[in-house]
Amino acid sequence: MLDTPIEPAAAPIRLDPVSLILHSSGPVFVVVWLLVAAAIMVWIIAFLKALQLGRLSRAERRFEQEAKQALSADALFAAASRYADAPGAVVVLELGKRAGSPKLLDSVAKRALVDQEQRAGSLMASLSTIAAAAPFVGLFGTVYGIMDAFLRIGQAKSASLPVVAPAIGEALIATAIGLAAAIPAVVAYNALNKRIDALLSAIEAASQGWVALVSEVPAALPKPGAQG
């Protein structure tokens, strides 16, 4: 009786995340590494923004402590010069460059506040974009991975695990990395945006007092002989 030939064992399927990422198909490979870069960027931006807001908040607290004790515009300008990095001090220094009615100074203060809002809100748009787009980019990789799985089924005429597992695995990895980029971006954006709003609200409330104090400074008198 002849021995039945033994079929060679199928190669083991490696479904670990690293192997799936490194051996993923072209579009999924690009999507995955794009999302990995976005996830890293989220943490870098969050760290840099936390440092920036911490520095601005400390400078603003020190400035406002002296600004509250200022009884004249000169004292207010002197405090602003000592803490020139504080957002409120920048607003006061802008007021010092102009002279006019309280309405004009209020307009100058609002313009300076807008500039400080843009300064404090730098890179926040990047966090918002990653938070909104990363899940959909991951979904694109997932859809392509599922399509690849069906194509493999059609080519192999089999729906066995060795045929579909790699494509399904890389598709799910794309979704997971998309969420890994989006969730921290949402959390960081909300936390940082809350700190920015608190900082700007305090400056906006204090700016009305600064405008009132600066508006008490008399306008410069015309030089003798200026009128012809």
Side-chain angles (χ1 to χ4, degrees):
M1 183 177 179
L2 297 176
D3 295 334
T4 304
I6 301 175
E7 296 182 357
I13 305 171
R14 299 187 60 187
L15 296 178
D16 59 284
V18 176
S19 178
L20 288 173
I21 292 173
L22 294 178
H23 297 90
S24 57
S25 55
V28 179
F29 185 85
V30 173
V31 166
V32 165
W33 286 107
L34 182 64
L35 292 173
V36 169
I40 296 173
M41 189 180 300
V42 166
W43 290 101
I44 293 175
I45 293 175
F47 178 73
L48 294 177
K49 290 301 298 182
L51 288 181
Q52 181 199 30
L53 292 177
R55 176 174 53 81
L56 293 179
S57 297
R58 288 190 298 270
E60 185 63 25
R61 283 195 299 269
R62 291 194 293 266
F63 165 68
E64 289 191 3
Q65 287 176 357
E66 291 199 18
K68 289 178 181 179
Q69 301 174 1
L71 300 179
S72 65
D74 291 338
L76 183 63
F77 294 146
S81 299
R82 283 192 292 273
Y83 303 101
D85 191 50
V90 176
V91 175
V92 171
L93 293 175
E94 288 296 323
L95 291 173
K97 297 177 183 178
R98 301 291 297 270
S101 65
K103 186 175 181 180
L104 175 62
L105 293 175
D106 185 63
S107 176
V108 172
K110 288 180 179 178
R111 176 67 259 181
L113 279 170
V114 171
D115 293 338
Q116 294 309 302
E117 182 179 359
Q118 294 175 349
R119 175 189 178 191
S122 60
L123 298 179
M124 293 297 289
S126 299
L127 280 181
S128 177
T129 300
I130 293 174
F136 295 101
V137 176
L139 182 61
F140 170 78
T142 300
V143 170
Y144 187 89
I146 298 297
M147 291 172 56
D148 188 32
F150 281 114
L151 290 175
R152 294 184 184 187
I153 291 173
Q155 291 173 354
K157 295 182 175 56
S158 171
S160 61
L161 187 62
V163 174
V164 299
I168 298 296
E170 68 186 40
L172 297 179
I173 286 291
T175 300
I177 298 179
L179 294 176
I183 293 174
V186 172
V187 175
Y189 179 86
N190 290 335
L192 294 171
N193 196 56
K194 184 178 180 180
R195 294 180 61 182
I196 292 173
D197 287 343
L199 176 63
L200 295 176
S201 297
I203 298 171
E204 184 176 3
S207 66
Q208 298 179 1
W210 300 335
V211 168
L213 192 61
V214 173
S215 63
E216 295 177 358
V217 179
L221 297 176
K223 295 181 180 180
Q227 296 179 353

